[in-house]
Structures are given as structure tokens and as C-alpha cells.
Amino acid sequence: MKKIEIVPMTKASAAYTAELEKICFSSPWSEKSFEEELSNPLAVFLVAEDENGVLGYVGCQFVYGEGDITNVAVHPDYRRGGYGSILIETLIAKAKELGYDNPTMI
């Protein structure tokens, strides 16, 4: 497994996330859609990065005490390496940090 870092999505990484979205999904979110989520206080979007850039991401919106995972994507070249699991585990830790610590709410 390559050394990666899980960090909050930024405006710069939103462009790369949108490109990844085009590779992974037939109805991809636009770069603008990801950028709008950056200012959404109810959303958490995390990206997995290595020295080459964004290799995956996960997004979640929290409403009325519940978290709804909007998408999880990992670049095809990095699939089956555990990166999706790491992204979800990090998201769950972030949800707990934000006070969403009831597993039925995540």
C-alpha cells in the first residue's frame, strides 16, 4: 500500500475530485458541485492523496443527526488496496469528532 494522507477537500483538490468522478461514474458531479459542498456547513468531504495527487474521496452530509454518505470513489488504478475502507473509517472518526457518535446515525 502506498503512503497516503486523508485530508479535507479544498478548492484545489475539488478539481481533481471532479476528474476522478468522471472516471468512476456515468453521471458525475461537476467541479462546481464539489466546490459548493466546501461551503456547506453540513457536509464533510475528505480526499486521499499521495505524491501524485487525489486517488480517492468520500463525502457525507449530516442532517437531523444522521449522516448520509453521498459518494465514495477510488481511482481504478488504486482499487482493492484498502483505500476506500480507510476513507470511510476516517469519515466515521470525523463524524464522531463532530458529535455524531451513535453508529445508527452514521
Side-chain angles (χ1 to χ4, degrees):
M1 183 181 289
K2 296 179 88 169
K3 181 173 171 32
I4 63 165
E5 186 175 13
I6 308 295
V7 297
M9 187 172 56
T10 63
K11 186 171 180 167
S13 61
Y16 295 105
T17 304
E19 288 303 312
L20 176 60
E21 188 75 0
K22 290 177 189 174
I23 294 168
C24 295
F25 300 106
S26 59
S27 297
W29 284 26
S30 67
E31 181 178 344
K32 183 178 182 204
S33 294
F34 284 110
E35 288 177 356
E36 287 172 354
E37 290 301 310
L38 294 175
S39 61
N40 180 351
L42 302 175
V44 173
F45 278 75
L46 305 172
V47 296
E49 298 179 333
D50 68 6
E51 66 276 358
N52 297 316
V54 173
L55 58 96
Y57 83 93
V58 63
C60 187
Q61 295 176 344
F62 297 98
V63 180
Y64 299 114
E66 295 185 3
D68 179 34
I69 295 176
T70 58
N71 256 346
V72 181
V74 175
H75 190 283
D77 293 345
Y78 295 91
R79 290 184 185 156
R80 314 241 2 116
Y83 301 111
S85 295
I86 293 168
L87 281 160
I88 293 195
E89 289 168 9
T90 306
L91 177 65
I92 290 170
K94 183 66 174 174
K96 289 179 180 180
E97 179 184 312
L98 294 171
Y100 300 101
D101 58 355
N102 182 342
T104 63
M105 293 185 175
I106 299 174

